[in-house]
Amino acid sequence: MIRFIINGLLRDHHRSLFPIIIVSIGVWITVFMQAYLTGVLGDMVDTTARFSTGHVKIMSRAFAENKDQIPNDLALMGVEQIMADMQSEYPEMTWVKRISFGGLLDIPNSDGETRSQAPVMGIGIDLLSPGSTEIHTMNVTKSVVRGRMPSKPGEILISDLLAEKLDVNLGDAATLLSSTMYGSMTMHNFIIVGTIKFGIMAMDRGAIILDVNDVQLALNMEDAAGGILGYLPNRIYDDNTAREIVERFNQKYENVDDEFAPVMGKLVELSSLGDYLNYAGSVTGIMVLIFVVIMSIVLWNAGLLGGLRRYGEVGIRLAIGEPKGHIYRSLIYESIFIGLVGSVIGTGLGLGCAYWLQVKGLDISAFMKSSNMMMPNIFRAAITEETYYIGFYPGLFSTVLGTMLSGVGIYKRQTAQLFKELEV
C-alpha cells in the first residue's frame, strides 16, 4: 500500500511538488534561524565568560551589589587563600584572579610632557606565570596585531585602535593615572610592547591588558582583586552545575555579618544573560509553532484544491467499496511522505546556509562602534544536534495537520450520490 502511494506521488507531480516546496522553505528557515540564534547567543555567553564573569565569580558582598561600577575600593581580600581553597575543593575547575579598572593613559613627549592621552579600560590578568591559562582563555596571543607579548613586569598591551588614536609606537612609555584601592590617586609607568585586537568593539575601542601583579602594585591591591573567576571543565558552561557550586559556596558564608565577606554568583546572573537565553528558547519554540500553523493553513488550502481535482478519483474509490477511513488514512500516509521529503530537503538547505555562516560569519562591526556589550563583531551560526532534527517538527506536523483538515470532506460524501456524480 505504501509503495503504491509513493509511486502515485512520484508519477503525479501536481499532488506532491507544491506541498514539498512549501515544506522545504518552512523547514529551511526554521533550521537556519535555530542555528543562527544558537551561534549568536553562544558567542555572547562565551565572550562574557572569557572577558568578564567566568562561569562563576567570587566577589565581596559590597562589590557584588555595585558590580556595574567596578568599585575596586570594595575589592575582595585574601584572594590567594580563597583560590587555594577553591582549587582544592574543585580541582577540575580553573580559578583565576582578575582586576578590572578605569583610568587615563598619558603618553609623554621627549620632554616628559603630555603629548596625548585617552581614557582606558584596563584588565589585569596573569600574563607572566608559567603555565598560566589566562593567555589561552582570553586568546591574547592570537589577538596581538603588532609587537609581542609582555615578558616581564612593567610591560603592557594596548588596543590597536587606541594606539592609532594616541599615535604611539612600540617601546614608547605610557603613564597610567587611576585611583588606588583606598581612593588615592596613583601614577604608574609602563612600556607598550604590543597592540591587540580582540574583535569585540567594547574591548578594541580602548582596552589595555597588563599582568595582574602589576595592577595590584599600581592600585595598592596586594592580595586583593576585583574577583576570582572559575571556569568549568573544557570551558563549557552548564547552568545546573554552576548553580550547585554557587549554592554550596554561599551557604558557608550566609551567617557571616560582613559586607566584605565573599559571595559567589553564576554567569547568567552576573551578566543578565539569563533573560537572553530564555528569550532564545522561547523564540525557537514560537518560530516552530508559527511555521506549523502557517504551513498547515497553506497545505490545508492546497489539500482542498487537490481534493477538488481528485474529486472523481475519491468518488470512484468510494463507489467500488473502499472504506472512507482507508482513503483518509492513505491521504495521511501521502502527507507523511511529503513531509519527510520536504523536511530532508529543507534541513539540507538550512544546514548548508548555517555552515556557511558558521565558517564565514557576518561582520557587524559597522553597527557596533558605540556598543559597550561584550559581544563579538562577527556573528556566526552554530550547528548543534538540535539543528539536524528541529525542522522535522514543522515539516511533518504541518503536512499531516493540513491533510487531516482538508480530508474531512471525504466523510461528508454521500454514497447514494456517487453514481450521479460520476455520470456528470
Side-chain angles (χ1 to χ4, degrees):
M1 179 63 185
I2 295 177
R3 182 179 179 182
F4 173 78
I5 292 173
I6 293 175
N7 287 333
L9 290 172
L10 293 176
R11 293 170 182 172
D12 187 356
H13 294 169
H14 296 287
R15 292 162 55 182
S16 57
L17 183 60
F18 178 72
I20 287 177
I21 292 175
I22 295 298
V23 172
S24 299
I25 293 174
V27 172
W28 180 4
I29 297 174
T30 301
V31 171
F32 176 76
M33 289 302 298
Q34 186 275 337
Y36 173 76
L37 289 174
T38 301
V40 170
L41 290 170
D43 285 344
M44 290 178 63
V45 170
D46 180 65
T47 300
T48 302
R50 289 191 296 117
F51 288 93
S52 182
T53 67
H55 294 155
V56 295
K57 184 176 182 179
I58 304 173
M59 304 163 284
S60 70
R61 290 177 181 173
F63 190 102
E65 292 175 358
N66 303 276
K67 61 181 181 297
D68 292 336
Q69 302 173 23
I70 316 178
N72 284 324
D73 55 322
L74 304 175
L76 182 68
M77 303 290 291
V79 295
E80 297 299 336
Q81 183 61 50
I82 296 175
M83 286 181 60
D85 293 342
M86 297 306 296
Q87 195 65 58
S88 175
E89 187 172 358
Y90 301 99
E92 73 282 359
M93 294 182 62
T94 303
W95 301 93
V96 297
K97 57 185 177 182
R98 292 266 185 93
I99 301 176
S100 297
F101 62 95
L104 192 68
L105 195 66
D106 183 274
I107 308 299
N109 58 20
S110 57
D111 297 326
E113 299 179 352
T114 298
R115 174 166 61 89
S116 59
Q117 58 182 206
V120 294
M121 176 184 68
I123 301 180
I125 64 175
D126 187 358
L127 288 174
L128 303 179
S129 298
S132 171
T133 61
E134 287 283 72
I135 296 175
H136 173 70
T137 298
M138 295 185 64
N139 200 26
V140 180
T141 303
K142 293 182 179 179
S143 299
V144 174
V145 178
R146 293 183 291 153
R148 59 174 175 83
M149 291 286 294
S151 59
K152 60 183 179 180
E155 297 180 338
I156 64 172
L157 301 169
I158 72 173
S159 76
D160 199 56
L161 291 177
L162 181 63
E164 293 181 5
K165 178 181 178 181
L166 297 176
D167 189 25
V168 297
N169 298 311
L170 301 181
D172 284 355
T175 301
L176 174 67
L177 289 80
S178 188
S179 60
T180 69
M181 179 177 173
Y182 300 101
S184 60
M185 184 176 178
T186 181
M187 293 182 290
H188 207 84
N189 295 323
F190 294 96
I191 300 297
I192 300 172
V193 297
T195 64
I196 51 176
K197 185 176 182 180
F198 289 108
I200 302 170
M201 189 55 65
M203 296 286 294
D204 294 340
R205 192 165 45 241
I208 62 174
I209 304 295
L210 57 166
D211 186 68
V212 66
N213 294 317
D214 283 343
V215 181
Q216 288 179 319
L217 178 63
L219 304 185
N220 199 11
M221 295 179 66
E222 289 77 10
D223 200 23
I228 298 174
L229 279 58
Y231 293 93
L232 296 172
N234 300 319
R235 294 293 194 276
I236 299 175
Y237 178 72
D238 181 78
D239 192 62
N240 293 328
T241 303
R243 184 188 302 111
E244 293 176 2
I245 296 172
V246 169
E247 291 176 351
R248 188 183 308 172
F249 180 88
N250 290 336
Q251 283 176 357
K252 298 179 182 179
Y253 299 93
E254 61 182 356
N255 295 323
V256 178
D257 187 17
D258 182 2
E259 66 174 346
F260 290 97
V263 63
M264 182 185 288
K266 59 180 182 175
L267 185 151
V268 294
E269 297 171 342
L270 299 173
S271 61
S272 301
L273 282 177
D275 295 335
Y276 286 102
L277 295 176
N278 292 332
Y279 171 76
S282 300
V283 166
T284 302
I286 293 173
M287 181 174 61
V288 171
L289 179 61
I290 288 175
F291 279 113
V292 167
V293 173
I294 292 177
M295 289 193 295
S296 295
I297 294 174
V298 173
L299 294 170
W300 176 18
N301 291 322
L304 291 175
L305 293 174
L308 292 175
R309 192 176 62 83
R310 300 173 64 184
Y311 194 79
E313 173 195 336
V314 175
I316 293 174
R317 293 171 66 178
L318 290 172
I320 62 177
E322 187 174 355
K324 294 181 179 180
H326 187 270
I327 298 176
Y328 188 70
R329 287 192 297 272
S330 69
L331 295 179
I332 293 177
Y333 294 152
E334 288 182 4
S335 68
I336 292 175
F337 175 77
I338 292 172
L340 285 172
V341 173
S343 297
V344 170
I345 295 174
T347 299
L349 293 172
L351 287 172
C353 294
Y355 179 76
W356 179 87
L357 189 61
Q358 180 174 278
V359 174
K360 298 294 184 179
L362 178 64
D363 190 349
I364 60 168
S365 56
F367 305 99
M368 300 290 290
K369 293 182 179 179
S370 60
S371 174
N372 292 317
M373 295 183 65
M374 282 293 180
M375 57 189 304
N377 295 336
I378 298 178
F379 280 174
R380 299 183 186 275
I383 297 175
T384 62
E385 292 182 1
E386 187 181 7
T387 313
Y388 289 95
Y389 63 79
I390 191 171
F392 286 84
Y393 291 121
L396 285 173
F397 288 168
S398 60
T399 52
V400 172
L401 182 58
T403 300
M404 290 175 66
L405 293 173
S406 61
V408 171
I410 293 174
Y411 289 96
K412 297 180 181 180
R413 302 286 293 274
Q414 298 296 324
T415 308
Q417 300 293 325
L418 288 176
F419 290 101
K420 292 184 178 180
E421 293 175 358
L422 294 174
E423 289 176 358
V424 177

